[in-house]
Amino acid sequence: MHHANHFYGHAHILAEYCGLDPEHPPRINGYLQHGWNVVDGLGAGTPYVPGRPIFVYSEQTRRRAWSMGRRQATVVGAPFLYLLTMRPDPTPAPREGTIWYPFHGWEGQHIAGDHQRQVEEIMETERGGPVTFCLYWHEYRNDAVRASYEKYGRVICHGYRGYQWRDTDIDFLDNQLAELRKHKRVASNRLSSAIFHGIAAGCEGAVYGDPMHLDKEHRPTADRIRRSWPELHGKRLDAAAARASAMSELGDGYLASPAELRAMLGWTGYYTAESAHAESRPAEVPA
């Protein structure tokens, strides 16, 4: 299994959905998309063995992968949608405020931008309640960056993504879902998985502010995202249009049944009738 399949506990969520041990997911027979992107679903620089399957969120991503020579691409839907089917919200509590996700860097690329100017625009815009700032682990560990947000609101981190099968916080998406359900709005300065997840979890979405940039980033791609998804950019969005777009990008309508997913991921040998938690029909994402 490529180690990126474990990022954010994705393999663990799919194993739980399939009725298998969520703490020790079997090896996935291929590469699982671990975050929303506008290419073939694989992370930049991912070592890829030609001919191996890749499992992507949406039909749009599958078509892009096909055009790039990844002919073994299969649409399975985002792990976050599978999580929603397993974590219904039986007694929804009143939501308030905004959870804000600043664009982040990672080990290979650091972010450049003015965090102070960013937070001033956020506080000027988000006047409907308290603001929670959710930093990616990379920025959360930076005392100076964290301090620039702590002056204005609660600062959290959902956990460590994981690397080389080590230190993966398998509750990352559970932590995210719990926080999203507390907030009325989800916002960021870049369109990202967090915005799609927030909208899927019932938040109003927003994307605005200084987009900031990564070291050696391909700027035309970032600019193209804003042109291609105008319905997801702005301080106040059309909720219906934003949700339709977000759910499409996450692969709503393509979720497999546990039996189908086991077959696609190469997990049929691990299945036992006693371990199944759901019938063989496809999952339904809560509206």
Side-chain angles (χ1 to χ4, degrees), residues 40 42 44 46 55 74 82 97 105 121 136 212 227 244 247 261:
D40 60 358
L42 300 179
T46 300
F55 303 101
T74 300
Y82 289 97
E121 181 175 5
Y136 195 59
M212 300 192 180
R227 292 195 307 271
M247 296 302 285
L261 194 59

Side-chain angles (χ1 to χ4, degrees), residues 56-262:
V56 299
Y57 291 2
S58 68
E59 175 60 19
Q60 302 89 293
T61 306
R62 186 201 67 78
R63 291 198 300 266
R64 289 195 300 267
W66 179 273
S67 72
M68 297 170 67
R70 315 290 199 202
R71 301 304 173 89
Q72 307 263 351
T74 300
V75 180
V76 296
F80 190 79
L81 295 189
Y82 289 97
L83 183 68
L84 284 177
T85 72
M86 296 187 292
R87 307 284 191 272
D89 195 5
T91 55
R95 298 176 179 227
E96 63 173 359
T98 301
I99 183 167
W100 223 91
Y101 289 88
F103 181 55
H104 64 80
W106 61 292
E107 296 98 325
Q109 290 177 293
H110 294 271
I111 197 77
D114 188 336
H115 290 276
Q116 182 60 40
R117 185 176 62 181
Q118 182 86 280
V119 77
E120 288 172 0
E121 181 175 5
I122 293 168
M123 300 311 294
E124 176 65 25
T125 304
E126 305 298 334
R127 295 189 173 188
V131 178
T132 297
F133 299 99
C134 184
L135 303 185
Y136 195 59
W137 66 269
H138 195 255
E139 281 71 36
Y140 190 79
R141 293 178 180 179
N142 184 314
D143 292 342
V145 171
R146 194 172 67 250
S148 67
Y149 290 98
E150 287 176 333
K151 293 184 293 183
Y152 296 91
R154 174 171 166 254
V155 177
I156 63 170
C157 178
H158 293 323
Y160 181 48
R161 173 205 65 204
Y163 190 72
Q164 294 293 336
W165 304 280
R166 294 191 297 271
D167 301 323
T168 303
D169 190 333
I170 66 174
D171 294 322
F172 186 103
L173 291 186
D174 270 297
N175 296 338
Q176 183 178 53
L177 178 57
E179 287 292 338
L180 289 170
R181 283 175 168 165
K182 296 176 184 177
H183 295 83
K184 184 177 181 180
R185 281 168 55 87
V186 59
S188 180
N189 52 329
R190 288 274 194 116
L191 189 58
S192 63
S193 299
I195 295 296
F196 294 123
H197 292 176
I199 292 174
C203 297
E204 300 171 8
V207 178
Y208 64 90
D210 177 5
M212 300 192 180
H213 291 285
L214 294 169
D215 295 337
K216 301 178 182 178
E217 180 179 9
H218 187 249
R219 298 289 183 90
T221 297
D223 295 339
R224 179 167 64 85
I225 290 173
R226 290 186 173 242
R227 292 195 307 271
S228 300
W229 286 274
E231 71 280 6
L232 290 167
H233 287 84
K235 296 181 178 181
R236 297 290 183 270
L237 307 182
D238 180 298
R243 181 171 177 83
S245 184
M247 296 302 285
S248 176
E249 291 298 320
L250 292 175
D252 186 33
Y254 287 90
L255 269 62
S257 70
E260 290 169 334
L261 194 59
R262 284 191 295 269

